[in-house]
Amino acid sequence: MTEISAALVKELRDQTGAPMMECKRALQDTNGDVEAAKRLLREKGMASAAKRSGRATTEGKVNYRVSSDGKLGVIVAIGCETEPVSWNDEFLAFAKKVLEVVEAEGPGAEAQLEEERLALSGKLGENIAVAGAARFEAVDGAVIDAYAHPPANKLGVLVQVRGGAGDLARKLAMHIAASNPEWIGREDVPEDLVASEREIFANSDEVQSKPEQAREKIVDGMLNKRFFGARVLTEQEWIHDTGKTVGEVLAGEGAEVLEFERYQLG
């Protein structure tokens, strides 16, 4: 077996960041060839990353970028397994690179970073995953804004709004982050889902215990408050003034939400 000097091991470690003993073994397996050892470490890292791919990524970062004129916005969610890795410089650099490639080329472009993702996963010893990516371009005079909840930045929102005051889009992004709506308006909710929810409420003990002639009205109230009021953006209580719904705020400002994307890790 080729004798491997400590200086050569250190050189390989400095170049790859791999553990010292892994560097030594790679150099032994490649007879001291640093470039071949680097390739071997990379291959091993990618193989181990593939094995980790099923692990939950409940930590990480949700990053966004909005152009100064509010006409272009992008948001990405990059997951990892532990909080320390979510603050690792190399992890943060990778997250930034994903953001930049999606900004330049749109969702799906992050696939070109797959090899780098696998290599990073192998190096950091955790599953690293692109959990989501979206890019909005403003239409018909609309504006785009975003919000990420500090300090962990594990929850973020990108929203496009037409009309209203200058800070409305930002406030809406904060609201969506806090309230987690699934649809913008009632018309966006699938009819079969509404029918299913209505049936569940109608068959509940809470309703069945009431007089038959009152049940339909009670179900309507439950559907409005517990389903639409909880899961539809325009029906939700506005977090900045709970005396109003989001729909009432939008109407008062002559505004409408065109689209939103919400990502949450963990």
Side-chain angles (χ1 to χ4, degrees):
M1 182 180 292
T2 304
E3 185 67 27
I4 305 299
S5 69
L8 197 60
V9 174
K10 184 178 184 303
E11 178 185 345
L12 181 60
R13 177 174 168 74
D14 289 344
Q15 291 185 31
T16 64
M20 194 73 74
M21 291 307 298
E22 289 290 328
C23 291
K24 185 173 182 178
R25 278 193 288 268
L27 286 165
Q28 288 172 338
D29 291 345
T30 58
N31 296 315
D33 185 326
V34 173
E35 290 303 316
K38 285 166 65 175
R39 286 196 299 273
L40 182 60
L41 286 171
R42 189 174 182 185
E43 289 166 2
K44 286 182 177 179
M46 292 174 70
S48 62
K51 292 179 183 178
R52 297 186 189 97
S53 61
R55 294 183 188 174
T57 53
T58 56
E59 298 292 334
K61 295 289 177 241
V62 177
N63 296 334
Y64 69 83
R65 185 178 292 171
V66 177
S67 62
S68 58
D69 61 1
K71 299 304 180 184
L72 177 67
V74 59
I75 188 169
V76 299
I78 313 298
C80 60
E81 297 178 45
T82 64
E83 185 181 5
V85 165
S86 75
W87 294 104
N88 175 275
D89 288 342
E90 290 179 276
F91 176 83
L92 294 173
F94 175 72
K96 182 181 178 183
K97 188 174 289 188
V98 173
L99 184 73
E100 290 172 345
V101 75
V102 172
E103 179 182 36
E105 303 179 36
E110 68 275 10
Q112 63 190 258
L113 301 175
E114 179 64 6
E115 190 172 319
E116 186 172 339
R117 182 190 71 81
L118 290 170
L120 181 63
S121 177
K123 185 173 182 179
L124 298 180
E126 290 195 8
N127 185 20
I128 307 297
V130 179
R135 179 179 184 269
F136 293 170
E137 294 184 59
V139 296
D140 300 330
V143 296
I144 296 163
D145 214 328
Y147 171 77
H149 191 63
N153 284 30
K154 292 171 56 177
L155 166 62
V157 172
L158 187 68
V159 63
Q160 180 168 183
V161 181
R162 182 164 50 209
D167 62 346
L168 179 61
R170 172 75 172 179
K171 287 182 175 179
L172 280 161
M174 295 174 71
H175 172 94
I176 292 166
S179 301
N180 193 20
E182 296 175 56
W183 304 279
I184 295 173
R186 288 196 184 203
E187 64 278 6
D188 302 313
V189 185
E191 291 182 6
D192 58 343
L193 181 57
V194 175
S196 175
E197 290 294 317
R198 178 179 288 277
E199 184 177 0
I200 290 170
F201 286 136
N203 291 328
S204 68
D205 290 342
E206 184 178 356
V207 171
Q208 289 297 313
S209 64
K210 299 296 190 293
E212 185 174 353
Q213 64 271 22
R215 291 174 188 171
E216 185 174 352
K217 187 174 182 180
I218 293 171
V219 169
D220 285 341
M222 294 170 72
L223 197 63
N224 288 335
K225 186 175 181 63
R226 301 183 192 179
F227 180 71
F228 291 122
R231 299 167 68 178
V232 175
L233 176 61
T234 55
E235 306 281 331
Q236 291 178 330
E237 288 184 354
W238 182 230
I239 64 165
H240 306 285
D241 179 356
T242 56
K244 300 178 181 178
T245 65
V246 174
E248 288 169 343
V249 171
L250 291 170
E253 297 237 9
E256 62 178 324
V257 176
L258 302 183
E259 59 183 340
F260 70 84
E261 195 67 65
R262 181 184 186 274
Y263 293 129
Q264 182 170 9
L265 297 165

